[in-house]
Amino acid sequence: MPSPKQMEKLEAEAVRKRASAPSGTESADMPPEYWDAVLSDPSAGARSSGGVPVQQRRLSEIPRHVLRVSCRRCDRTIEIQKTDAVRLYGEHAIWKDVGQRLLDNTCRERTGRYEEDGCWPSFS
């Protein structure tokens, strides 16, 4: 544990560093090529459809052909083709609800308590 005198010295040094830091934004220092690379990264397009996460999209809005949901509790993974999911649940069904139903229909973790029963979905 530092002594009170050492803590004051560290605090003064931190204040001095903050004061000497440039007040401009850091984005001005980055070249345009950097931002092009960041935005062209595949993971940057994960929310390209209006900022809506995949689990909150309707089945008709998801571009993938195979939909996958896994359980964080029992490590079970269920895959379904998008055409089959649309045929069974309709094209306007929300993927989160469909995935939860698919997991609940085959859940192996039953405790008898409503709060603890069922699987914990993870959408990918």
Side-chain angles (χ1 to χ4, degrees), residues 16-98:
R16 195 173 350 111
K17 283 184 181 180
R18 270 189 253 133
S20 67
S23 61
T25 62
E26 293 183 15
S27 64
D29 298 339
M30 298 295 187
E33 295 82 17
Y34 171 79
W35 294 112
D36 291 339
V38 168
L39 294 174
S40 66
D41 185 27
S43 63
R47 292 188 176 193
S48 62
S49 176
V52 178
V54 71
Q55 63 263 28
Q56 293 178 357
R57 293 185 193 169
R58 298 186 185 282
L59 292 177
S60 60
E61 298 171 348
I62 300 174
R64 301 180 195 150
H65 298 292
V66 176
L67 305 174
R68 181 179 301 131
V69 62
S70 59
C71 176
R72 286 178 268 168
R73 185 176 191 186
C74 63
D75 293 328
R76 205 164 32 93
T77 301
I78 296 177
E79 290 183 351
I80 187 170
Q81 289 188 2
K82 180 180 164 182
T83 54
D84 292 337
V86 168
R87 184 175 44 83
L88 293 171
Y89 299 101
E91 65 183 37
H92 297 293
I94 306 294
W95 172 225
K96 177 181 174 181
D97 299 333
V98 172

